[in-house]
Short mmCIF file of all heavy atoms in Angstrom, two decimals:
data_model
loop_
_atom_site.label_atom_id
_atom_site.label_comp_id
_atom_site.label_asym_id
_atom_site.label_seq_id
_atom_site.Cartn_x
_atom_site.Cartn_y
_atom_site.Cartn_z
N PHE A 1 68.79 19.58 -25.15
CA PHE A 1 67.45 19.84 -25.71
C PHE A 1 66.99 18.68 -26.61
O PHE A 1 65.81 18.47 -26.81
CB PHE A 1 67.44 21.09 -26.50
CG PHE A 1 67.43 22.33 -25.55
CD1 PHE A 1 68.73 22.93 -25.19
CD2 PHE A 1 66.32 22.85 -24.96
CE1 PHE A 1 68.77 24.00 -24.36
CE2 PHE A 1 66.39 23.88 -24.07
CZ PHE A 1 67.56 24.55 -23.78
N ALA A 2 67.89 17.88 -27.16
CA ALA A 2 67.55 16.75 -28.00
C ALA A 2 66.73 15.79 -27.18
O ALA A 2 65.84 15.06 -27.76
CB ALA A 2 68.80 16.19 -28.63
N VAL A 3 66.99 15.59 -25.88
CA VAL A 3 66.27 14.71 -25.04
C VAL A 3 64.81 15.08 -24.95
O VAL A 3 63.86 14.34 -24.93
CB VAL A 3 66.94 14.56 -23.69
CG1 VAL A 3 66.15 13.68 -22.77
CG2 VAL A 3 68.32 14.01 -23.81
N ALA A 4 64.60 16.39 -24.83
CA ALA A 4 63.27 16.88 -24.73
C ALA A 4 62.49 17.15 -26.01
O ALA A 4 61.21 17.20 -25.97
CB ALA A 4 63.25 18.32 -23.98
N LEU A 5 63.15 17.12 -27.16
CA LEU A 5 62.50 17.46 -28.45
C LEU A 5 61.42 16.43 -28.78
O LEU A 5 60.27 16.84 -29.12
CB LEU A 5 63.52 17.47 -29.50
CG LEU A 5 62.98 18.05 -30.85
CD1 LEU A 5 62.45 19.47 -30.65
CD2 LEU A 5 64.10 18.04 -31.89
N PRO A 6 61.62 15.12 -28.66
CA PRO A 6 60.53 14.17 -28.98
C PRO A 6 59.25 14.43 -28.06
O PRO A 6 58.09 14.28 -28.44
CB PRO A 6 61.12 12.79 -28.77
CG PRO A 6 62.58 12.97 -28.94
CD PRO A 6 62.82 14.35 -28.45
N TRP A 7 59.55 14.68 -26.81
CA TRP A 7 58.41 14.96 -25.85
C TRP A 7 57.67 16.21 -26.36
O TRP A 7 56.46 16.27 -26.29
CB TRP A 7 58.94 15.19 -24.44
CG TRP A 7 57.91 15.26 -23.41
CD1 TRP A 7 57.16 14.28 -22.83
CD2 TRP A 7 57.40 16.48 -22.90
NE1 TRP A 7 56.31 14.78 -21.95
CE2 TRP A 7 56.39 16.18 -22.06
CE3 TRP A 7 57.60 17.88 -23.15
CZ2 TRP A 7 55.60 17.10 -21.32
CZ3 TRP A 7 56.90 18.78 -22.48
CH2 TRP A 7 55.93 18.40 -21.57
N LEU A 8 58.37 17.25 -26.71
CA LEU A 8 57.75 18.46 -27.23
C LEU A 8 56.93 18.17 -28.48
O LEU A 8 55.83 18.67 -28.65
CB LEU A 8 58.76 19.52 -27.55
CG LEU A 8 58.30 20.85 -28.10
CD1 LEU A 8 57.45 21.56 -27.08
CD2 LEU A 8 59.55 21.75 -28.42
N TRP A 9 57.50 17.35 -29.44
CA TRP A 9 56.81 16.96 -30.60
C TRP A 9 55.46 16.21 -30.14
O TRP A 9 54.48 16.46 -30.86
CB TRP A 9 57.62 16.09 -31.50
CG TRP A 9 58.70 16.72 -32.24
CD1 TRP A 9 58.81 18.03 -32.53
CD2 TRP A 9 59.87 16.10 -32.75
NE1 TRP A 9 59.98 18.29 -33.29
CE2 TRP A 9 60.68 17.03 -33.44
CE3 TRP A 9 60.39 14.80 -32.68
CZ2 TRP A 9 61.83 16.86 -34.07
CZ3 TRP A 9 61.60 14.52 -33.36
CH2 TRP A 9 62.30 15.63 -33.99
N GLY A 10 55.59 15.50 -29.15
CA GLY A 10 54.36 14.72 -28.71
C GLY A 10 53.29 15.56 -28.18
O GLY A 10 52.11 15.46 -28.56
N VAL A 11 53.71 16.60 -27.43
CA VAL A 11 52.75 17.57 -26.88
C VAL A 11 52.10 18.40 -28.06
O VAL A 11 50.86 18.54 -28.09
CB VAL A 11 53.34 18.54 -25.86
CG1 VAL A 11 52.45 19.67 -25.46
CG2 VAL A 11 53.81 17.85 -24.63
N MET A 12 52.93 18.78 -28.98
CA MET A 12 52.43 19.53 -30.11
C MET A 12 51.47 18.62 -30.98
O MET A 12 50.43 19.12 -31.41
CB MET A 12 53.53 20.02 -31.01
CG MET A 12 54.29 21.15 -30.29
SD MET A 12 55.84 21.67 -31.14
CE MET A 12 55.26 22.05 -32.80
N ALA A 13 51.84 17.43 -31.13
CA ALA A 13 51.06 16.43 -31.92
C ALA A 13 49.57 16.33 -31.19
O ALA A 13 48.52 16.24 -31.91
CB ALA A 13 51.68 15.11 -32.10
N MET A 14 49.64 16.13 -29.87
CA MET A 14 48.33 15.95 -29.20
C MET A 14 47.44 17.20 -29.33
O MET A 14 46.38 17.11 -29.50
CB MET A 14 48.57 15.59 -27.73
CG MET A 14 49.18 14.19 -27.53
SD MET A 14 49.19 13.57 -25.80
CE MET A 14 49.91 14.94 -24.93
N LEU A 15 48.05 18.39 -29.19
CA LEU A 15 47.25 19.60 -29.33
C LEU A 15 46.76 19.72 -30.73
O LEU A 15 45.60 20.05 -30.90
CB LEU A 15 48.18 20.79 -28.95
CG LEU A 15 48.61 20.93 -27.48
CD1 LEU A 15 49.60 22.13 -27.36
CD2 LEU A 15 47.41 21.18 -26.61
N SER A 16 47.55 19.44 -31.74
CA SER A 16 47.17 19.48 -33.12
C SER A 16 46.02 18.47 -33.36
O SER A 16 45.00 18.71 -34.11
CB SER A 16 48.31 19.19 -34.08
OG SER A 16 49.24 20.18 -33.90
N GLY A 17 46.12 17.30 -32.70
CA GLY A 17 45.07 16.28 -32.87
C GLY A 17 43.83 16.72 -32.34
O GLY A 17 42.67 16.55 -32.90
N VAL A 18 43.81 17.35 -31.01
CA VAL A 18 42.54 17.88 -30.49
C VAL A 18 42.01 18.96 -31.42
O VAL A 18 40.74 18.98 -31.68
CB VAL A 18 42.88 18.46 -29.08
CG1 VAL A 18 41.69 19.29 -28.56
CG2 VAL A 18 43.25 17.33 -28.11
N VAL A 19 42.81 19.82 -31.96
CA VAL A 19 42.25 20.87 -32.80
C VAL A 19 41.63 20.27 -34.13
O VAL A 19 40.57 20.66 -34.52
CB VAL A 19 43.39 21.97 -33.17
CG1 VAL A 19 42.93 22.85 -34.27
CG2 VAL A 19 43.77 22.74 -31.97
N ALA A 20 42.30 19.25 -34.69
CA ALA A 20 41.85 18.65 -35.85
C ALA A 20 40.42 17.86 -35.66
O ALA A 20 39.59 17.96 -36.41
CB ALA A 20 42.81 17.67 -36.45
N ILE A 21 40.43 17.25 -34.48
CA ILE A 21 39.18 16.57 -34.18
C ILE A 21 38.03 17.59 -33.95
O ILE A 21 36.91 17.35 -34.52
CB ILE A 21 39.37 15.69 -32.92
CG1 ILE A 21 40.24 14.52 -33.14
CG2 ILE A 21 37.99 15.18 -32.36
CD1 ILE A 21 40.80 13.73 -32.00
N ALA A 22 38.33 18.63 -33.18
CA ALA A 22 37.26 19.69 -33.03
C ALA A 22 36.84 20.30 -34.38
O ALA A 22 35.68 20.49 -34.70
CB ALA A 22 37.74 20.70 -32.12
N GLY A 23 37.89 20.53 -35.24
CA GLY A 23 37.58 21.07 -36.56
C GLY A 23 36.78 20.26 -37.41
O GLY A 23 35.94 20.65 -38.20
N SER A 24 37.09 18.94 -37.39
CA SER A 24 36.30 17.98 -38.15
C SER A 24 34.75 18.01 -37.83
O SER A 24 33.93 17.99 -38.66
CB SER A 24 36.87 16.59 -38.01
OG SER A 24 36.56 15.98 -36.83
N PHE A 25 34.57 18.03 -36.51
CA PHE A 25 33.08 18.07 -36.09
C PHE A 25 32.46 19.41 -36.44
O PHE A 25 31.28 19.48 -36.72
CB PHE A 25 33.01 17.77 -34.58
CG PHE A 25 33.25 16.34 -34.30
CD1 PHE A 25 34.26 15.94 -33.46
CD2 PHE A 25 32.44 15.38 -34.86
CE1 PHE A 25 34.51 14.53 -33.19
CE2 PHE A 25 32.60 14.00 -34.54
CZ PHE A 25 33.62 13.62 -33.73
N ALA A 26 33.26 20.53 -36.44
CA ALA A 26 32.75 21.81 -36.80
C ALA A 26 32.37 21.75 -38.28
O ALA A 26 31.34 22.26 -38.68
CB ALA A 26 33.73 22.94 -36.52
N VAL A 27 33.24 21.14 -39.13
CA VAL A 27 32.93 21.10 -40.57
C VAL A 27 31.68 20.15 -40.80
O VAL A 27 30.81 20.56 -41.57
CB VAL A 27 34.16 20.56 -41.27
CG1 VAL A 27 33.79 20.11 -42.75
CG2 VAL A 27 35.31 21.58 -41.28
N LYS A 28 31.60 19.15 -40.03
CA LYS A 28 30.44 18.27 -40.16
C LYS A 28 29.18 18.93 -39.85
O LYS A 28 28.17 18.82 -40.48
CB LYS A 28 30.58 17.00 -39.28
CG LYS A 28 29.48 16.05 -39.41
CD LYS A 28 29.62 14.82 -38.48
CE LYS A 28 28.41 13.83 -38.54
NZ LYS A 28 28.45 12.88 -37.59
N ARG A 29 29.27 19.73 -38.78
CA ARG A 29 28.05 20.56 -38.34
C ARG A 29 27.63 21.51 -39.40
O ARG A 29 26.45 21.67 -39.75
CB ARG A 29 28.41 21.23 -36.97
CG ARG A 29 27.11 21.93 -36.48
CD ARG A 29 27.29 22.54 -35.16
NE ARG A 29 28.47 23.49 -35.09
CZ ARG A 29 29.68 23.34 -34.51
NH1 ARG A 29 29.80 22.19 -33.76
NH2 ARG A 29 30.55 24.20 -34.59
#
């Protein structure tokens, strides 16, 4: 599982990034 953990962190970071970007535009609006 240690081999897959960084990949999982990457997927979670990308999803969090998309949510943060969408949230920033919602706050701006």
Side-chain angles (χ1 to χ4, degrees):
F1 288 96
V3 173
L5 192 61
W7 186 83
L8 179 63
W9 286 337
V11 170
M12 290 172 52
M14 287 193 311
L15 292 174
S16 298
V18 169
V19 169
I21 291 168
S24 71
F25 287 119
V27 168
K28 181 182 179 187
R29 185 176 58 249

